[in-house]
Amino acid sequence: MGDLMMAGYKGIHGMFSPKATELYAAILGLQIARQLGHLSVILEMDAKEIIMNLQSFEDSWLVEGVLVDEVKGLFNHFTHISCQFAPRECNQVAHLLAKQALLTQDFKVWLEDGPLWISDVLASDKLFS
């Protein structure tokens, strides 16, 4: 529906590939969803190759294969999980959260009501999706 259910970021420092960063974000999101007791999850990202790896039953031979396996392992904690592609233009909130994670060591999570900068961008995302 385009409403904020949960948003968060955790600062990471070091040199990581975009794929690894996307997978770290998926792991964090799934861990939080699990802790909150969610049983059904939609994992939305703008990385088609990662989505294909996550939907495959074959082992991943990517450099980030260990992270792919960790995400797949977290899938077992949910009764329903869906991996969906969303172009970056349709999910600017995720892009801004990723930028924030590069700038800080903080760990922040918002449930349902986020800061104004998220609400403004979320309203714009609704128009494009």
Side-chain angles (χ1 to χ4, degrees):
M1 304 289 295
D3 294 327
L4 179 68
M5 299 295 294
M6 177 188 75
Y9 65 83
K10 181 178 181 183
I12 56 171
H13 292 282
M15 299 298 288
F16 299 100
S17 71
K19 290 177 190 172
T21 305
E22 192 88 28
L23 288 161
Y24 279 125
I27 291 165
L28 177 64
L30 291 169
Q31 288 173 335
I32 293 170
R34 179 180 173 209
Q35 289 173 355
L36 293 172
H38 293 284
L39 298 176
S40 181
V41 173
I42 299 171
L43 185 60
E44 191 176 84
M45 59 180 64
D46 64 0
K48 288 182 181 180
E49 183 181 357
I50 293 173
I51 292 171
M52 289 188 310
N53 289 128
L54 293 174
Q55 292 173 335
S56 172
F57 293 107
E58 297 179 20
D59 290 333
S60 173
W61 294 101
L62 294 174
V63 171
E64 298 85 359
V66 172
L67 298 174
V68 170
D69 291 343
E70 187 169 346
V71 172
K72 286 181 176 182
L74 287 166
F75 287 175
N76 295 323
H77 298 283
F78 302 95
T79 57
H80 179 264
I81 187 128
S82 173
C83 296
Q84 298 177 357
F85 173 76
R88 182 177 289 178
E89 300 81 34
C90 296
N91 198 349
Q92 287 296 311
V93 171
H95 184 64
L96 287 175
L97 290 168
K99 280 185 170 181
Q100 192 65 31
L102 294 173
L103 299 174
T104 182
Q105 290 277 13
D106 294 345
F107 176 49
K108 300 266 187 190
V109 175
W110 298 276
L111 302 174
E112 296 181 9
D113 292 320
L116 188 58
W117 60 271
I118 289 179
S119 301
D120 290 345
V121 176
L122 188 61
S124 174
D125 280 353
K126 281 184 180 183
L127 295 174
F128 289 104
S129 54

